[in-house]
Amino acid sequence: GYEPLLSEKNSREVDIETPLPDDLTRDSLELPDLSEPELARHYTRLSQMNYGVESGPFPLGSCTMKYNPKFTEDLAAHPSAAVHPDRPEETVQGTLALLGRTAEYLAEIGGMDDVTLQPPAGAAGEYTGVLIAKAYHEHNGDDRSEIIVPDSAHGTNFASAALAGFDVVELPSGEDGRVDLDALEEAISDETALLMLTNPNTLGLFERDIEEIAEMVHDAGGLLYYDGANLNALLGRARPGDMGFDIMHYNVHKTFATPHGGGGPGAGPVGVVEELTDFLPEPHVRKRGGGYELFEPERSIGKVHGFQGNWLVLIKTCAYIARLGDEGLRDASAKAVLNANYLAEQIDYEVPFGPFHHEFVASAGDQDAADVAKRMLDYGVHPPTTKWPEIVDEALMTEPTEIENKRTLDQLAAAFDAVADEDRETIEAAPERTSARRIDQVSAARSPQLSWQALENSE
Amino acid sequence: GYEPLLSEKNSREVDIETPLPDDLTRDSLELPDLSEPELARHYTRLSQMNYGVESGPFPLGSCTMKYNPKFTEDLAAHPSAAVHPDRPEETVQGTLALLGRTAEYLAEIGGMDDVTLQPPAGAAGEYTGVLIAKAYHEHNGDDRSEIIVPDSAHGTNFASAALAGFDVVELPSGEDGRVDLDALEEAISDETALLMLTNPNTLGLFERDIEEIAEMVHDAGGLLYYDGANLNALLGRARPGDMGFDIMHYNVHKTFATPHGGGGPGAGPVGVVEELTDFLPEPHVRKRGGGYELFEPERSIGKVHGFQGNWLVLIKTCAYIARLGDEGLRDASAKAVLNANYLAEQIDYEVPFGPFHHEFVASAGDQDAADVAKRMLDYGVHPPTTKWPEIVDEALMTEPTEIENKRTLDQLAAAFDAVADEDRETIEAAPERTSARRIDQVSAARSPQLSWQALENSE
Amino acid sequence: MGGHDTGSPYAPHTPTETEQMLDAVGVATEADLFDIPEPVRFDGELGIEPRSEQAVRQELGAILGRNDDLTEFLGRGHYDHYVPSLVDHLSDRQEFLSSYTQYQPEIAQGFLQALFEYQSMLVELTGLEVANCSLYDAATALGETATLASRVRATTGDRVLVPGHLPDGTRGVLENYADGADLAVESYPMDDGVADVEAIRDLVDDDLLLLYAESPTVRGVIEESLDDLGAIADEHEALFALGSDPVALSVLEEPAAAGADVVIGDAATLGMGTSYGMGLGMFATRKEFLRQVPGRLVGASEDSTGRRAFTLTLQTREQHIRRERATSNICTNQAWVALRTAIHAAYLGPEGLIDLARTCITGADRLADGLDDVTGISAPVHDRHHFREFLARTDQPAPAIASELTEEGYAVHAVDDHLIQCCVTDTNVEQIDGLVEAVTEVVA
Amino acid sequence: MGGHDTGSPYAPHTPTETEQMLDAVGVATEADLFDIPEPVRFDGELGIEPRSEQAVRQELGAILGRNDDLTEFLGRGHYDHYVPSLVDHLSDRQEFLSSYTQYQPEIAQGFLQALFEYQSMLVELTGLEVANCSLYDAATALGETATLASRVRATTGDRVLVPGHLPDGTRGVLENYADGADLAVESYPMDDGVADVEAIRDLVDDDLLLLYAESPTVRGVIEESLDDLGAIADEHEALFALGSDPVALSVLEEPAAAGADVVIGDAATLGMGTSYGMGLGMFATRKEFLRQVPGRLVGASEDSTGRRAFTLTLQTREQHIRRERATSNICTNQAWVALRTAIHAAYLGPEGLIDLARTCITGADRLADGLDDVTGISAPVHDRHHFREFLARTDQPAPAIASELTEEGYAVHAVDDHLIQCCVTDTNVEQIDGLVEAVTEVVA
């Protein structure tokens, strides 16, 4: 497993000649210079050193790595989808109609009254939601400075709150892994702008007290935010809006099977209840006459993306939801939860807490969870998320999603169990069968080399 | 490297229920029954056990394994290309125009007067050409029974001649690897319907006496057929029509970079000189008014394909030629010939004969050429064609095509030379690093198991 | 764009590399590499302008765009079924698309296994023991069947009997194959859309070499006398061959059960969609004819570690070894289409295939009923069971009706002065009402 | 279709398997798996009909088809360049498309190397030492630059100065980021399409935190005073950030040479084509700010055998570790777009990139000349060097002209009552004459 860098294959420095005066231009440009066949082989080779959902099981906890239907790619590649964001509304009625429909679908699924599609990722959705909460309180003349986030929440919750200028109040989990109502009581104050919750939480546990939680927050004048990372557990079974959440984001690259693309692009649409619709980002889509139009909501928070977000991703979202429909969505959550429960049942590692839904967090016990993960690579599967949430020792956070079945779950369980039986030396030496062996991350961070130029200079 | 059969993963037997009476239907159907994600993984895994042009060098002699440009695939997938062959002409003017243009391009490149696009492969092209020769002679009241084929010719030449009912007269090669004029003189008679020649021949040698050869055949009342397998050597440098050939086929999946698809589909258009255009298969395309029409040539040989051949392949052919143009085509042959000559110069194996063009045939000497090939697999390259043509002992027939450059040719040479230095045990034990080790072909043929049903029955 | 700036965009040589390589070879210029006698050298221009990728896409895309956008109700041997996107995406992986015939099986296990699976599916669908991994199309498969018959038949005999309704294209291909093998092609009469069994009995004698029937026939009628036809062939020690396709075979009587010795047809009805007649010659036969089979066969074997592995097998039948005594001249075949067919079939699974076949039955019935209600049209002409397609009799001239329908955006066959033919599959079943409406207008 | 016949087509469970698994888990029904209190259970219908793949493609394809087919001369931050087919085919390989963030680098070397190469190309194009491997888009990159500035600036200061012509979308995003970090966004005046350097000198004081300029500006003018602007920022110990894009940077003065501390912009001008504003936030900066960089960074390291290998690095900057003290909240980014950008850039190579940039210069000039010849139009408004786009002054109302042009099949910006803006790239350069003709007719 080794492929030279593009720059090592062939580079060429070309002098710049343009109609511009020399003082406005650079002197030369040096970049890789390879033919199409060479590039095809380069990237084919690189792809062969990469593991995707179609390579095998991918039970990365909290990441909902579903199979990405191919036909949604074809729709995103539709020639009519290639339009400029500054086009007059009447010339992009197709785009607006598709956005409108996607927003309607999502609103229905989340039990929300309206949805913005602008946020380009889940964290951007959180940030959007936080801005909406901020604007709402400000509009009410209510200057609130704090956002409450459970300790088991995704790191983005903390960061998004901070980005919007809030102080973060961290909420310790209760002994059952859920929100501790006493702790919550203590955390809530008249500074509380928002409580951000993931439900089921990152342990896969449904917050059974959600109605009471909502009441407490609302009574204190705060709002309730739903982190949609784990929505796949609830499709067609429960809706954040019905639980008392005021704002939520959707991770379409999780729940709605738009591909994760090695890190993105995703999209993080945000749904809100009626009371908050005036605060949605602009432009917002709505029906008018037989068609659709864009408008600026009355108290819009403004913009969270330079244009209107990750349009091509939203096409895939819409297509996926239309393909599944009610029946398919309900089945997706059923099978996702069945798979997690079945897998947890099969593996030798201890699984504390429960009953869980779409994911579970096992404990590697006296093994190092990161080593366990590396060793699982040798068994040809993608390992779970490790060492998080910290409430479980040496956590192995496992989310098989609905796309596995008994056969592949049994294979996955066999990989877990094989590693569970192995000794420390073996797992510390892992992986052995991958294109690269264990990579030294410490020295990578200690003396960062972030470009081929840096590599050349260090030689 | 092992992937269970579809049938081993999950099969299902389903009872047949239709509106038809039971005696017209089968009772049940048992086939693999897998979900889309499972299939995606199955075929992804299979693809990973397969070597393509973008996996690395592919110097398979006589096969012209070029890089297949991606954009030609997009054109073949153009929605407007999906038309039925029975459509009225006036509704498929796009298809007819594209066929017309492709035929014109090919006629120009081959120096022919007209071209049929109907033959679905090279061998089908040969057969078409033979039928045209037959019809021509018959039309002239000249019943000729023999076709002359050099011993170094592709096996298809012999088989195509036989398929059309001719006797094959095999022509022994001269000492220089080319046509022996004395032997040819002896072979020619008034039974000679056709001489089939590959030029450059399978040793990569240009038949320098081609003018004399053509004269001899024509004087005897015979026709001259050009096997287009090696046309890549001559693009824009020489044209079969100018050499005296009357009929030729083009292997578009070689010369014009339409993908070989693991064995096809290709296309084998056939070009003819003016005198033979009346014999072309029907329907044939021609311009009429501002558009195109189909017609039946006056003395058409009839059909060689149920409809009009491999249409989607022809789109790719046309696109490739239009992309390269004169300049690109001439460059392709130059670089193909340069590459073969450069590679031959670099390797340790003896290369008899010359000067060669787009391919050369090295001799593995006292090594077994088939073993050499197996061992080359271990060096991550595709080996040459082996043990053919038989005029070279333990032949390694090597055609790098123009898509390699000095770097990849040097890698390829290193693979040749590494094997040349290895001992018999090593190469007989090869390959070691492939997804399957050396496969037992003898027992495969002795007790054929050609389906999963056969495998199940044998268990 | 890399490498050099002129010439083939797919040749990677920089000018410097080219110089170095010419030096290594020992010639001064590229022209010196060519050992071509001066008189046959080509110094002219082909007159083909090179174009950018973008320009070729625009230009050829615009040419293709001249095809009218019609909803096709066309069949007669070339059928359109919806091809799932998965088929495109998987088959386009370069490891499949840009690979060669599997002469080095150790690095071609993936394609070999896919073809083995394709063969196995045909074994299930036909009930025969052996399927090859592709011929060009249904017509050439019929030609190959005739030559196979002449090789395997115990006694002499040169008569090939085919349905009177066989399309010209198929018949034409068969004639050429038959001509080379000195066989005589004759039509047998049809009665109400199917084989006239009694007439056939009268026609045959011991010179019968091959009896060919189709089900569904090209007119969409399900042949009801397959058992009789098989028996007739048997009586005369002739081969009985059946033409069909994988979708129809999912529900129709198993050919082997009706005595078929060979099953052919267009397997690209799965995997390919409408493609101007580009097909995939299906070919399955009895085990006893194995060594006379045309085309490639993939077999299971073992590698040196004892693990199951696949390889092309029985290659001594083929042209590259047996030359003029080969079972066929076929070399390049339709392997990649077979891969697509297999993926499509696997995608559908048994239930999906049966569903699809049901759509072909009920859709045709529904359209026939709809047209029958139109004044001036009676459909179906044959009072039989149909699959996908059927004939309709028109009071007005059929060619004029068909031509006017193209103006309305529909394509149907005009097969005779007062006969049109329509084909319904999953891709146009939703447009049945539209067609009926258009026909109503056109004949009004 | 396999597995079960209802429910999600992407869940493979057969009914039997489901039963077995429920048994293993110890529950009777799927509903029993859900630990949801009754009052918040959802028993209603979402009202979304499931559809076949074919139906969804038809339906959504038809919806998309409602977009008018216009030749766009639109830019202003979202640019269209021809994306070679190679980019689609390679980036669509599932190993790339369906992979996750590279938390397990040992099985993600391919994507990591591609991102490392992307970073390296940006280093060459910007002259800065560090590039991250993506932010969402140019606007959010500007927001992140403002917060970076507030973290790294030695002294206090809260003023962010941006061009007066900054588009509303970019400005709006920046305002939100600035608000959270208690920064003040102010516009500086423009003069003849570029920064008014003297006015800026008057505006700034020691509270200056960040000075932001663009070249080309949103009006397509190449900024000529970058060195001056860099010096002004430097004098006040403020950061100087430049907005641009990879195509422009191929030929324009190297930002680092002009004193830029940060370079941002939309890198998806390569790799993505027109996509309704979907972009790729480019972000490069000086090495000294490395540990304050937002977003992901790929670094070279070694594996346990000493072989070069790549990994995400400096992750302690990121939200999943540093939480509310992270450099940004970004998690999912635009990695796959960065892959596409890198492939596109590599496809073009240095000569191809420069060629493309030249087309953007000469094309804009040619269109401006053409429009200037039309009575009632003067172009370009700014007597300066342009890249891709320019303003034209119209005697008649610009919105009416733009609107009438859509009837003729062209889209241009109407940026003011009597200003239109046009953008030329390799994708519409062949349509320049058509646009000029259409404008001539419209204003006649």
Side-chain angles (χ1 to χ4, degrees), chain D residues 57-96:
Chain D
R57 285 178 76 171
Q58 279 171 351
E59 187 178 344
L60 298 197
I63 291 177
L64 288 170
R66 287 187 221 155
N67 284 342
D68 294 349
D69 187 13
L70 301 180
T71 301
E72 298 176 339
F73 285 83
L74 301 172
R76 291 183 64 85
H78 190 63
Y79 302 106
D80 187 29
H81 293 296
Y82 174 73
V83 180
S85 171
L86 183 72
V87 175
D88 293 330
H89 287 259
L90 292 175
S91 66
D92 280 352
R93 286 178 66 86
Q94 71 86 17
E95 295 90 332
F96 290 134

Side-chain angles (χ1 to χ4, degrees), chain A residues 64 66 228-235 255 332-333 336 358 399 401-402:
Chain A
T64 318
K66 297 189 183 198
N230 294 350
L231 183 64
N232 201 45
L234 302 184
L235 290 171
T255 317
S333 60
H358 65 298
E399 182 184 9
T401 85
E402 68 271 22

Side-chain angles (χ1 to χ4, degrees), chain A residues 42 50 76 155 215 221 242 269 294 305 315 332 360 374:
Chain A
H42 180 73
N50 227 67
E215 201 178 332
D242 300 340
L294 294 170
H305 183 272
I315 297 175
F360 63 86
K374 295 298 178 205

